[in-house]
Amino acid sequence: MRPQSLMLAFFGNHVLEEGDLCVYSGSIIDVLGRVGVGEHAVRSTLTRMANRGLLRRRREGRRMYFGLTPQVTRVLEDGRTRIWKQGAVDDDWDGTWTQLAFSLPDSWKRQRHDLRSRLAWSGFGALYSGLWIAPGHVDVSAVVADLGLTDHVKIFHARADAATDIGLMIRDTWDLESIAARYVAFDERWAAHLDAGATDDPIGIRLRLVSEWLGTIRTDPGLPAQHLPPDWPARAAQVTFRRIAQQTEAPALRMARELLDTVPPR
């Protein structure tokens, strides 16, 4: 797990839901140290994220506090929707697809990389190099506008013709074996925590749980259930995640309120 991923999970767990506040860097070092991130890595990650506009700084005496910026708040809210509100499998797919076509100059390597990364997070897969698809009605216009690529992208919403083998199209577009393997690995790692009861470190366990789940679902578009194998492992992994999340929610919240030194923003 990368320090920035854990940092985002930390702010999503303990700041986004608690309102607008800033957290002392020493508190962040303490919590991330519980999941194996050293002090130097935490400090350098905080500095990088602040320099990129993802976190804001506030100094109180000799202490430095960090809070959310509007940019990272949008990222965390999107992650909250993916984690807590959307299922790993779409049982209610209406047969529609969102199609996005783009053509960028050869020299725009960074823009192309950024667009592909954001599309993958939004549930898209590459049907062809310049044509990406996602199941359902996905509003990706804000993503495109945020990257400054509106004039280079065309978005459509449509249904596949009866001649199209949707199952084959899905297998050609997404690496189902790789996605399934990530769910199986997650379930195997976390099944031992089921019904374990209270632990001495619920804040660390919940931080690692949420970060790993987010990494697991990152490349999964939530494909239609009727076009997935009957033993698709996402369901079992999601049950494991939600049960452990429920077990750790209240203890982690109590521990956070005891451990975290926070101040309101100016």
Side-chain angles (χ1 to χ4, degrees):
M1 293 180 291
R2 296 185 303 130
Q4 180 167 313
S5 299
L6 289 163
M7 190 74 73
L8 289 170
F10 168 81
F11 277 96
N13 281 344
H14 303 296
V15 179
L16 185 67
E17 301 294 341
E18 290 294 306
D20 199 5
L21 51 80
C22 299
V23 185
Y24 171 47
S25 61
S27 297
I28 302 171
I29 290 169
D30 179 6
V31 174
L32 266 68
R34 296 164 182 263
V35 293
V37 183
E39 179 176 348
H40 176 73
V42 174
R43 291 191 183 278
S44 62
T45 301
L46 286 170
T47 299
R48 285 197 308 272
M49 294 180 69
N51 290 342
R52 292 173 54 200
L54 297 176
L55 295 175
R56 59 177 169 175
R57 298 181 177 95
R58 175 178 171 182
R59 182 174 293 280
E60 288 287 325
R62 301 180 64 182
R63 292 191 166 195
M64 185 65 73
Y65 292 74
F66 291 85
L68 303 179
T69 63
Q71 180 182 355
V72 81
T73 297
R74 290 193 296 271
V75 172
L76 293 178
E77 287 175 344
D78 184 41
R80 177 173 58 187
T81 298
R82 290 286 301 274
I83 293 171
W84 305 111
K85 298 181 180 179
Q86 295 180 353
V89 177
D90 186 354
D91 290 304
D92 301 312
W93 182 57
D94 62 1
T96 63
W97 295 88
T98 300
Q99 302 172 332
L100 184 144
F102 66 89
S103 178
L104 305 180
D106 292 340
S107 60
W108 288 18
K109 293 181 180 180
R110 180 184 60 80
Q111 291 92 331
R112 185 177 291 104
H113 170 77
D114 290 347
L115 177 60
R116 288 171 174 168
S117 297
R118 297 286 294 274
L119 288 177
W121 168 246
S122 298
F124 284 79
L127 183 60
Y128 302 109
S129 61
L131 179 61
W132 288 55
I133 61 172
H137 191 290
V138 182
D139 185 1
V140 75
S141 57
V143 170
V144 174
D146 189 45
L147 295 173
L149 299 176
T150 302
D151 292 341
H152 301 270
V153 168
K154 301 294 183 289
I155 303 170
F156 307 88
H157 301 283
R159 292 178 177 270
D161 186 83
T164 299
D165 185 332
I166 295 177
L168 177 61
M169 182 179 72
I170 287 175
R171 293 191 296 274
D172 287 343
T173 304
W174 287 277
D175 185 352
L176 295 186
E177 290 186 4
S178 177
I179 295 173
R182 293 172 73 89
Y183 281 117
V184 170
F186 178 92
D187 203 24
E188 290 177 349
R189 280 195 304 272
W190 285 98
H193 292 274
L194 284 171
D195 303 318
T199 71
D200 59 355
D201 187 25
I203 194 171
I205 288 178
R206 187 174 176 84
L207 176 60
R208 189 161 61 89
L209 172 76
V210 171
S211 184
E212 287 191 22
W213 180 249
L214 190 58
T216 301
I217 65 175
R218 183 174 298 277
T219 57
D220 182 0
L223 294 164
Q226 63 263 47
H227 295 292
L228 290 171
D231 57 347
W232 188 244
R235 295 189 189 278
Q238 181 171 268
V239 169
T240 297
F241 166 74
R242 290 184 172 174
R243 287 180 60 185
I244 299 174
Q246 184 177 29
Q247 291 171 9
T248 57
E249 182 178 14
L253 180 59
R254 288 194 297 269
M255 180 174 264
R257 288 174 174 168
E258 294 172 359
L259 289 178
L260 302 184
D261 176 4
T262 64
V263 296
R266 287 196 176 107

